[in-house]
Amino acid sequence: MTSSDVLFKPFKIKSLELANRIVMAPMTRSKAPAGIPGEANAAYYKRRAQGDVGLILSEGTVIDRPASRNEGNIPFFHGDAALAGWKGVIDAVHEAGGKMGPQIWHTGSVTSFLSDWLPDVPVESPSGLEAPDKPRGNAMSDEDIADTIAAFAKAAADAKHLGFDVAEIHGAHGYLIDQFFWDGTNHRADKYGGKTIAERSRFAVETVAAVRKAVGPDFPIIIRLSQWKQQDYTARLATSPAEMESWLAPMADAGVDIFHCSQRRFWEPEFPEIDGENGLNFAGWAKKITGAATISVGSVGLSGDFIGSFSGEAVSNAGIEKLLTRMERDEFDLIAVGRALLSDPHWASKIRTEKWDEISTFTPNSLGELV
Ligand SMILES: Cc1cc2nc3c(=O)[nH]c(=O)nc-3n(C[C@H](O)[C@H](O)[C@H](O)COP(=O)(O)O)c2cc1C
């Protein structure tokens, strides 16, 4: 075995068969004019399929709600024109032998830190808060909630009809679903709120159940989750394995096949007080607790995390030995790669063929173009 062979083992779950364990992390590019993905977007994703990425997750793409996005060039995942654009994307990826799913998203009440674009109706969230003590927009009514859940399900059904291989629900990073999870932004007194993470998960569980109903039993569903929020990097939804179980198990029961556990640095242990500084990360614990497949992520192949990249911090390429060690011990099933794949579409094939020196280094400038 060459050292990176563990990354290039096939993986199968339900109807999804992947040639290897490398996933392109979902990355907003704000390059879909008027919300419609076009040829440039299709070519961008196709290059990653040609570059041996096992599974491509699209940038966040939003559901059919009046204020579901926080930036003008984020793609829609609704409406004939946008869906025709996405059909062009998945056909191009399939032509190159790739597999792909859209990341289905609602930005809740979060303001974009990249632009001052505003939707033309008030934003919505569980309690009309963007962050703790920071009111913004409307608290959602029961009707808003039911309509939002239906819009997630419709988007997933459309993904399947267009030919996508999987769908990911974006439940992380402080956006709408995460605003329900987090006690800092969910103060509801109804069945969608509550003191415990299990109670505040109801919105996500109902969303997953509706998506499952819409796509049928064999189409894999991923949900992306994070302890951290962009509103507070130190926030945690589950502070013990028992709490994590009460958060994740109902979502697995409702139909999640793969938990995509977002960390900024994949090597950081989730509960070091239990299994030490080299202990399981978030994806490791999620797999151990639920038995479901998991994806890890965070600074693979790079020396610094992605939040630093948004403020222009330079990074250098780094080795992947720590990743291989964790994958060899089967801690998680798949690994998502973000920035390294933004600057070098052929990152995966260069890892496979051990052309370490040929990997282009990520620079914050690559955020501006679709390389
Ligand atoms: C430009 C950019 C856009 C991103 N957009 C999204 C997004 O739309 N949805 C999401 O879940 N994460 C998003 N992320 C986070 C990435 O998916 C990933 O978790 C993060 O970059 C860490 O991986 P990396 O260290 O390999 O870059 C974004 C990251 C970057 C750099």
Side-chain angles (χ1 to χ4, degrees):
M1 290 235 310
T2 60
S3 60
S4 61
D5 280 359
V6 67
L7 277 174
F8 293 92
K9 289 195 306 192
F11 176 77
K12 180 171 175 9
I13 190 161
K14 294 189 169 170
S15 56
L16 181 69
E17 287 185 43
L18 303 178
N20 64 55
R21 307 301 178 108
I22 298 172
V23 176
M24 180 177 181
M27 281 177 289
T28 292
R29 305 308 314 273
S30 301
K31 298 241 177 293
I36 316 291
E39 279 175 25
N41 311 86
Y44 159 78
Y45 286 115
K46 184 177 185 176
R47 281 193 286 280
R48 274 72 194 170
Q50 289 166 331
D52 279 349
V53 172
L55 175 64
I56 297 168
L57 294 173
S58 79
E59 62 209 281
T61 170
V62 298
I63 61 167
D64 189 7
R65 284 288 295 167
S68 59
R69 59 182 192 161
N70 64 359
E71 235 262 68
N73 291 322
I74 286 176
F76 296 123
F77 208 81
H78 59 89
D80 291 347
L83 293 180
W86 282 115
K87 172 88 178 122
V89 170
I90 187 59
D91 287 351
V93 165
H94 282 164
E95 249 170 52
K99 299 284 163 81
M100 182 170 184
Q103 187 192 47
I104 302 172
W105 192 22
H106 184 315
T107 55
S109 57
V110 175
T111 314
S112 167
F113 56 93
L114 296 172
S115 87
D116 47 17
W117 183 91
L118 288 174
D120 45 23
V121 296
V123 294
E124 61 184 0
S125 65
S127 301
L129 292 169
E130 177 172 8
D133 305 319
K134 196 171 169 199
R136 183 167 184 241
N138 296 335
M140 292 166 81
S141 66
D142 282 355
E143 196 185 340
D144 294 331
I145 289 179
D147 190 63
T148 302
I149 291 173
F152 270 105
K154 168 81 168 55
D158 285 337
K160 186 180 173 196
H161 291 143
L162 292 175
F164 282 95
D165 305 285
V166 59
E168 173 167 289
I169 300 168
H170 192 345
H173 304 171
Y175 296 108
L176 182 68
I177 292 178
D178 204 13
Q179 291 186 321
F180 275 89
F181 287 140
W182 191 24
D183 59 4
T185 44
N186 183 347
H187 297 170
R188 296 180 75 94
D190 65 3
K191 63 182 183 180
Y192 294 102
K195 281 204 177 62
T196 65
I197 180 64
E199 290 164 298
R200 297 189 305 274
S201 295
R202 176 186 277 266
F203 176 74
V205 170
E206 289 187 8
T207 300
V208 171
V211 165
R212 173 54 71 209
K213 195 164 169 220
V215 298
D218 280 338
F219 188 77
I221 299 173
I222 306 173
I223 191 162
R224 196 169 216 221
L225 303 170
S226 63
Q227 298 262 30
W228 64 272
K229 325 282 154 228
Q230 58 192 293
Q231 298 92 325
D232 179 357
Y233 296 134
T234 64
R236 295 188 80 194
L237 299 175
T239 56
S240 66
E243 237 178 10
M244 189 175 277
E245 183 170 7
S246 71
W247 177 29
L248 305 185
M251 287 189 267
D253 292 344
V256 166
D257 299 297
I258 306 178
F259 288 99
H260 187 172
C261 302
S262 170
Q263 286 184 254
R264 289 185 287 146
R265 293 167 286 267
F266 74 85
W267 57 88
E268 289 182 348
E270 191 56 45
F271 300 117
E273 66 281 10
I274 297 176
D275 56 359
E277 290 306 321
N278 201 24
L280 299 179
N281 71 10
F282 179 16
W285 276 101
K287 185 174 169 70
K288 182 180 162 111
I289 285 171
T290 62
T294 60
I295 309 176
S296 188
V297 64
S299 303
V300 172
L302 293 173
S303 63
D305 80 45
F306 84 104
I307 300 298
S309 295
F310 282 119
S311 51
E313 215 172 270
V315 289
S316 48
N317 290 345
I320 58 165
E321 297 76 15
K322 280 189 287 195
L323 171 67
L324 298 174
T325 306
R326 283 179 186 262
M327 294 205 72
E328 262 154 20
R329 70 186 194 200
D330 253 345
E331 184 171 337
F332 39 83
D333 301 274
L334 301 165
I335 185 71
V337 178
R339 290 160 299 154
L341 268 170
L342 271 192
S343 47
D344 194 337
H346 297 285
W347 186 87
S349 39
K350 289 176 188 172
I351 295 284
R352 185 172 57 75
T353 52
E354 301 191 340
K355 295 188 176 143
W356 312 106
D357 298 343
E358 291 180 23
I359 294 175
S360 321
T361 306
F362 170 82
T363 72
N365 291 341
S366 6
L367 296 176
E369 36 180 345
L370 288 180
V371 176

